[in-house]
Amino acid sequence: MKSLLTMIAALMFLVAAHRALASGVNHQTTSPSAKVQMMNPPQEAAPRSFTCKFHSGDVGTIVGVGASRNAAHADAAEKCFDRRVSLYESVRGQKVDMDRGQLLIDACVNLTCS
């Protein structure tokens, strides 16, 4: 049980790190004396949703949804991992060990969206 919790914590850390790196953070700095004038008020863009669809023979079709392509990919990777762990545990009747969990994480993180 402890190894499963450790594996889940590692997965969550990897997903959080992926989201932080992929969020498109701009590190542009401006001088404090720079003044910005807006000629036209910004128009609010309609919220856009991205999807990441992935099909595999063992877990079926997985659809991840997010505010960006990277967020949708991360959502699909989480769903993939959860399904593979559930399938493994139901078929084998045992918990996923650390090595097997790492293989499942690698397989799900490296999926390609269609």
Side-chain angles (χ1 to χ4, degrees):
M1 183 66 175
K2 185 176 179 181
S3 65
L4 178 62
L5 292 175
T6 305
M7 181 179 56
I8 290 172
L11 176 64
M12 296 197 61
F13 173 76
L14 289 173
V15 169
H18 175 73
R19 285 183 180 170
L21 291 174
S23 66
V25 176
N26 292 330
H27 296 287
Q28 184 179 13
T29 59
T30 58
S31 65
S33 62
K35 294 183 180 179
V36 177
Q37 291 182 346
M38 298 186 77
M39 302 306 263
N40 295 324
Q43 297 179 357
E44 291 190 28
R48 187 163 178 200
S49 178
F50 292 89
T51 59
C52 174
K53 188 174 183 181
F54 169 74
H55 181 75
S56 176
D58 59 343
V59 292
T61 301
I62 296 170
V63 179
V65 180
S68 67
R69 286 186 186 98
N70 293 327
H73 185 272
D75 185 45
E78 287 180 45
K79 289 177 181 178
C80 170
F81 177 76
D82 291 341
R83 274 200 206 165
R84 287 186 185 210
V85 167
S86 176
L87 182 64
Y88 182 88
E89 290 176 352
S90 68
V91 170
R92 302 276 176 124
Q94 63 186 21
K95 297 291 183 185
V96 176
D97 62 351
M98 188 61 91
D99 293 332
R100 177 72 60 177
Q102 187 62 45
L103 291 174
L104 296 177
I105 290 170
D106 291 342
C108 291
V109 168
N110 294 320
L111 60 88
T112 303
C113 300
S114 60

